[in-house]
Amino acid sequence: MAESRRRFLQKTATAAAALAGTRFLSRAAGAETALPRAAAAGAPPWYRRVLRWGQTNITELDPTRYDIAWWRAHWKRTGVQGVIINAGGIVAYYPSAVPLHHRAEFLGDRDLFGELCRAAHEDGLAVFARMDSNSAHEDFFRAHPDWFARDAGGRPYRNRELYVSCVNSAYYDEHLPTILREIATRYRPEGFTDNSWSGLGRNSICHCENCERKFRAHAGQPIPRTRDWNSPAYRAWIQWNYARRLEIWDQNNRITRAAGGPDCVWVGMNGGQLSGQAEKFRDFKAICERAEIIMLDDQRRDNDSGFQRNGQVGKLVHGLLGWDKVMPESMAMYQTSSPTFRLTSKPAPEARLWMLEGFAGGIQPWWHHVGAYQEDRRQFHTAEPVLRWHRANEEFLVHRRPIATVGVLWSQRNLDFFGRDDADLHVTAPANGFMHALVRARIPYLPLHLDHVDRDAAQFRTLVLPNLGAMSDGQVASVRRFVERGGGLLATGHSSLGNEWGDARPDYALGDLFGAHLPEGHGARTESTRRRWATENAHSYLRLTPGLRARADADSQSGGAVPSPRIDRHAMLRGFDETDILPFGGTLEPLKLDSDAQVLATFVPPFPAFPPELSWMREPKTDIPALVLHEKSGAGRVAFLPADLDRRYARDNLPDHANLLANLIRWTARDDIPLAVEGPGLIDCHLYQQPGRVILHLVNLTSAGTWRAPVEEFIPVGPVRVRVKLPENVRARRVRLLVGNETPRPASEAGWIRFELKSILDHEVAVIG
């Protein structure tokens, strides 16, 4: 592990030097800029050096009012190094010679894409030619009806007045490649991007002749008529669709590189929500394995996941892509909350926090407007100061390695085959619950793909399985090896209970680690029973067990009258000394426990909440376990939480649930957490390492709008006391604050450094070393 870390740090030091030292001449006489095509010998390719992007999403009316000079000045004000310019697909913004390539209604004789492309190159900017390519107008449909998706009744799928094209037709294999070649050879953009490249989503099954013929050749059976996750045909159809999108990705890259040069990459666009990626058949892991750069189309937060999801998405995607590559994200300057208003400004604090959380997660900025002419000019003032700060501090924001001892496991296959049609309930909500609990506890963590446990787990002290119900035998074995080598494990709900298809196993595959098993003769865990279990909203509780001993203590009073036992509980239950019960809300079934398993909480069945006269426990104690600890000599600590507190914290936001989850993480990690942050407020903490220094991002999420968009003002918090455990190769003598422009005086002891921040408004970045 130490050797791999040294190799990474050497690599990042070289890349950072190349990034900082590369300057080039643009096509404007005498102007010195960062023109991608003029790279110095030995410099990284343009897609590793261009960090700040801008996009004006052109409407069909814009050719009549596009003020290119004004936008060039805005490019300069915001310090972008690249721009995304609408080129073709559904609508062409240049005089295309490709038959049926629909020109923008008000384009006339203008070559708007060409004008903008030339202007960008003159200013030394990279150009992504933006495509939007999954639909066409009626004249196209009439000319090629066999190129379009159809339902089981033969009716074409429509997107308003447009017709949805089929990914298995000549539209994707002939028409779009012709457009890509035309743009690449005529205008020489640096690359191509496309926000709707993957075609019809999985909620609509295409039954066109192309799909029927190709799927039968692939699977030997017709396309399924309906969704049925238990059907082998439907499962094969899901996998076949994923594979087709990867074929399109590879095909488009061969075309653009052949026509535009070896660095003319096609990179599509991808969303930050795993559920959205799955619905569109975009295999995030496989895409990142072949991508040179990821363009994230993830423009806003929602009230359930918050701003912190953006930081998590950055770390999740970098875990697949690598930390040496860049990942710009479309950051909308217009109102994107529900309802959406494309032409009015998003409140600046809302847009700014989304951007700053992205920076903290390793995401690069990409401002986004819809339309070249805006009557609400407030939206033009948001990006400039943020990108100016990014430019001044970019050396600390890229080419770095995250520091975390907690890994939260995930897989897109689990979302597909365990989540099925209820993925938000079974997969997203438990993962969000842990995200919120970790952010609240200020514990640095990283999302870790289930297939990467053996590769990456050496840096972690504990792994979290948030209701991962679909795990292959190989994935189970990798988790078991991690624990056998001394790593901790926290698993919840149905983790390891299903195979790679989500089909129920007779017992938890990791039951030997959990110390808990399904009893013989248990009822089948069907989709309907799982859904009822997950949606339960009962008046139930968890009873905390007394631990080693309990004694009466006359000094401890319950309600000021009745003596209550003074309880010496397990260290994992710290903070709960004054309560014997915790709220739950769900339901649990009996389990069979190993003799060396320890139960720290049991299930109290539901009883009436109303009227209050009837609100008393009918069955105060059961032996149904809600929390099980299991330790074996030489192995790591394991905590199994049958009670779905991760999902319930995401839904109910009860502090007791978050505190218990944080305690479990600390216990399984043996308190090996490299960061401690004390002070008021909700602060998201991200820790990184570069050669000779540590970088700490602190994002202040404390706001009246934290859980209800939009945020309209910042609420400063402080003082904030920070302690950081330093890596072996960092000798910290100085702390520098990149936002506050201060140098607090640090103190060091036993490999840790501590310092204090007087206040944090929206964010702070501390460079230590």
Side-chain angles (χ1 to χ4, degrees), residues 108 137 172 375 377 419 456 524 621 653:
H137 291 78
Y172 277 79
E375 295 181 273
R377 294 169 295 282
D456 296 341
K621 295 183 179 180
N653 199 34

Side-chain angles (χ1 to χ4, degrees), residues 272-503:
Q273 293 274 19
L274 287 177
S275 56
Q277 290 288 94
E279 195 277 329
K280 298 178 188 301
F281 296 116
R282 299 173 180 176
D283 184 336
F284 228 153
K285 176 174 173 286
I287 287 171
C288 287
E289 289 170 348
R290 57 202 353 108
E292 297 291 353
I293 177 176
I294 287 292
M295 302 297 284
L296 271 181
D297 187 14
D298 192 21
Q299 300 181 8
R300 67 180 181 91
R301 54 96 173 218
D302 56 44
N303 290 332
D304 291 335
S305 57
F307 295 102
Q308 50 267 51
R309 180 178 69 80
N310 210 23
Q312 175 172 280
V313 166
K315 294 184 293 186
L316 182 149
V317 179
H318 273 302
L320 303 174
L321 183 69
W323 286 90
D324 58 334
K325 298 180 181 179
V326 300
M327 181 175 45
E329 177 185 69
S330 178
M331 298 167 169
M333 299 296 104
Y334 54 86
Q335 183 60 35
T336 52
S337 300
S338 182
T340 294
F341 293 98
R342 294 279 202 180
L343 302 182
T344 53
S345 179
K346 180 183 293 186
E350 176 79 15
R352 184 180 175 94
L353 270 182
W354 184 250
M355 300 173 81
L356 297 177
E357 263 290 356
F359 297 172
I363 289 171
Q364 287 71 53
W366 156 14
W367 52 252
H368 181 243
H369 300 275
V370 173
Y373 176 79
Q374 301 293 339
E375 295 181 273
D376 188 343
R377 294 169 295 282
R378 295 173 295 178
Q379 60 187 282
F380 295 129
H381 302 299
T382 302
E384 181 179 347
V386 181
L387 269 67
R388 188 168 58 243
W389 181 88
H390 185 278
R391 180 179 183 180
N393 297 287
E394 66 181 41
E395 65 179 294
F396 306 107
L397 304 177
V398 293
H399 304 305
R400 57 194 186 173
R401 185 189 187 98
I403 300 174
T405 55
V406 178
V408 181
L409 297 179
W410 70 278
S411 82
Q412 194 164 328
R413 190 180 183 98
N414 178 66
L415 190 142
D416 282 327
F417 292 106
F418 179 67
R420 302 188 176 187
D421 292 328
D422 289 313
D424 285 347
L425 184 66
H426 296 307
V427 179
T428 304
N432 281 348
F434 270 108
M435 175 184 69
H436 293 317
L438 285 159
V439 169
R440 182 178 179 272
R442 299 162 182 176
I443 297 175
Y445 71 98
L446 289 174
L448 176 63
H449 195 281
L450 261 174
D451 288 342
H452 293 163
V453 171
D454 285 334
R455 186 192 76 179
D456 296 341
Q459 77 178 92
F460 299 108
R461 290 305 306 271
T462 192
L463 299 179
V464 177
L465 294 174
N467 201 39
L468 260 67
M471 297 179 67
S472 69
D473 291 344
Q475 292 167 339
V476 168
S478 67
V479 172
R480 181 174 286 108
R481 283 191 293 270
F482 175 79
V483 176
E484 290 171 348
R485 291 194 295 262
L489 181 67
L490 169 55
T492 69
H494 291 91
S495 290
S496 83
L497 195 52
N499 63 16
E500 65 267 33
W501 298 104
D503 295 334

Side-chain angles (χ1 to χ4, degrees), residues 623-701:
D623 60 359
I624 299 175
L627 171 58
V628 181
L629 304 187
H630 197 217
E631 294 184 81
K632 289 190 175 182
S633 178
R637 292 175 171 177
V638 178
F640 177 47
L641 192 63
D644 57 334
L645 297 189
D646 45 0
R647 175 188 6 252
R648 294 186 182 277
Y649 182 56
R651 187 190 71 180
D652 301 333
N653 199 34
L654 294 180
D656 281 344
H657 293 172
N659 290 336
L660 187 58
L661 293 174
N663 282 0
L664 286 167
I665 289 168
R666 294 183 184 277
W667 181 79
T668 57
R670 299 182 186 271
D671 288 317
D672 187 359
I673 307 297
L675 177 70
V677 177
E678 298 177 354
L682 180 63
I683 304 174
D684 194 7
C685 306
H686 302 254
L687 198 60
Y688 294 93
Q689 182 179 359
Q690 286 180 334
R693 63 193 179 200
V694 170
I695 299 164
L696 173 63
H697 286 251
L698 300 169
V699 184
N700 178 18
L701 302 179

Side-chain angles (χ1 to χ4, degrees), residues 177-200:
T178 303
I179 296 174
L180 294 175
R181 293 188 187 98
E182 179 179 63
I183 295 171
T185 56
R186 187 185 299 183
Y187 300 104
R188 309 296 290 179
E190 276 62 47
F192 289 81
T193 188
D194 189 328
N195 75 317
S196 59
W197 61 275
S198 52
L200 199 65

Side-chain angles (χ1 to χ4, degrees), residues 241-283:
N241 272 284
Y242 269 119
R244 175 55 180 158
R245 273 59 178 188
L246 294 177
E247 289 176 359
I248 292 170
W249 186 285
D250 294 340
Q251 171 182 279
N252 288 345
N253 269 282
R254 288 193 300 270
I255 291 165
T256 58
R257 289 174 188 267
D263 286 334
C264 185
V265 294
W266 182 96
V267 297
M269 286 187 193
N270 288 278
Q273 293 274 19
L274 287 177
S275 56
Q277 290 288 94
E279 195 277 329
K280 298 178 188 301
F281 296 116
R282 299 173 180 176
D283 184 336

